[in-house]
Amino acid sequence: MSTLDNRGTLTNIGTLNLNSGGELILNSNIANIPGGTFNWNSGGLLTIGSSGIMTVTSSVSVPSGKTMNVLGTLTIDPGGILTNEGFLRNSGTLTNSGTLTNTGELNNDGTLNNNSTGTIKGSGTIDQEFGSYTGASGGAIAPGNSVGTLSVTGNLNLGSNTYESEIDGAVPNNDVLALTGEATLTNATLEVTWLNNPTVTGTYTVMTFGSKVGEFATVTIPTVSGFTFSTAYTTCLLYTSPSPRD
């Protein structure tokens, strides 16, 4: 295996290839890898060491079948995009102020911060059993890339994040945030977007959990002529039912 162990500052303004059998270790200071082109090829391993710092300023992908180990600090800047199609293991600090799209598996044993400009999306799995999560006001959790299910193993305190759920009332179909453990909703917001308005009475399960603490502080559902909406929290169901309007 060929190994590049960076203990200084690594700034890529050209092309960086991580090839099969190679390992890139970021072990101190700051690495702005996405400043240029970063090609992560089959068999390459990326590790952010315990003293390492990596900043995503444009677009970085963890390809299917690949692993990124975060022992230090991984920061997604506003406008930055990290797409995980493989396995992302965070045992350090992952701070998202851009877009974190997870269609693979994100194992959070450390600290995951979703800041005021951050969005976590995708239809993968987040293992949250041993890690902590902080959701700032303005930050969002938005399952799928359109309609989809984002699965969370363990407990999740949404903090002040907004849960953005898209609902297609014509199909019907909708986003789901599926937790196996306890959901803390007390300071969070539920915001619904209709991809197509409902045409018949329907029930939309937008969230499931093993148990819950509190209810959404704010629920925003766009009005649809002929319908009223209510929210029930047995398994966090969103109901629609027709009613006459003047």
Side-chain angles (χ1 to χ4, degrees):
M1 174 181 286
S2 299
T3 301
L4 172 60
D5 188 346
N6 174 55
R7 298 176 184 270
T9 299
L10 175 62
T11 301
N12 176 41
I13 58 174
T15 300
L16 177 62
N17 296 315
L18 180 56
N19 292 329
S20 177
E23 181 178 9
L24 175 59
I25 302 174
L26 308 177
N27 225 3
S28 67
N29 281 318
I30 299 173
N32 292 302
I33 290 177
T37 300
F38 178 44
N39 297 320
W40 191 345
N41 298 316
S42 178
L45 176 62
L46 176 59
T47 298
I48 302 174
S50 58
S51 300
I53 300 173
M54 177 176 172
T55 303
V56 177
T57 57
S58 54
S59 182
V60 169
S61 294
V62 181
S64 177
K66 312 299 189 304
T67 298
M68 176 186 283
N69 292 316
V70 181
L71 304 177
T73 300
L74 173 60
T75 300
I76 307 170
D77 278 354
I81 301 171
L82 176 62
T83 301
N84 175 44
E85 299 172 346
F87 187 72
L88 173 58
R89 179 186 289 113
N90 175 46
S91 300
T93 301
L94 197 170
T95 299
N96 177 40
S97 298
T99 301
L100 172 57
T101 300
N102 179 51
T103 58
E105 182 174 352
L106 194 167
N107 190 318
N108 179 39
D109 294 332
T111 300
L112 175 57
N113 301 313
N114 195 30
N115 284 351
S116 60
T117 56
T119 298
I120 297 176
K121 58 191 300 186
S123 299
T125 299
I126 300 175
D127 189 334
Q128 183 64 25
E129 288 188 283
F130 303 106
S132 64
Y133 179 87
T134 301
S137 177
I141 298 176
N145 288 314
S146 180
V147 170
T149 297
L150 181 63
S151 300
V152 178
T153 303
N155 304 328
L156 184 65
N157 184 339
L158 276 70
S160 298
N161 273 179
T162 296
Y163 170 34
E164 298 179 350
S165 181
E166 294 180 321
I167 300 178
D168 188 338
V171 176
N173 196 12
N174 59 272
D175 287 335
V176 179
L177 182 59
L179 280 69
T180 64
E182 182 179 84
T184 301
L185 310 174
T186 310
N187 297 310
T189 296
L190 170 62
E191 184 175 289
V192 169
T193 298
W194 295 108
L195 298 179
N196 289 290
N197 288 342
T199 56
V200 296
T201 301
T203 299
Y204 303 95
T205 303
V206 297
M207 192 173 185
T208 61
F209 39 68
S211 61
K212 73 172 184 67
V213 175
E215 299 181 355
F216 286 108
T218 303
V219 176
T220 302
I221 305 173
T223 58
V224 177
S225 178
F227 287 81
T228 59
F229 306 96
S230 61
T231 306
Y233 287 91
T234 304
T235 52
C236 197
L237 303 180
L238 176 63
Y239 294 99
T240 69
S241 58
S243 66
R245 295 185 183 277
D246 294 334

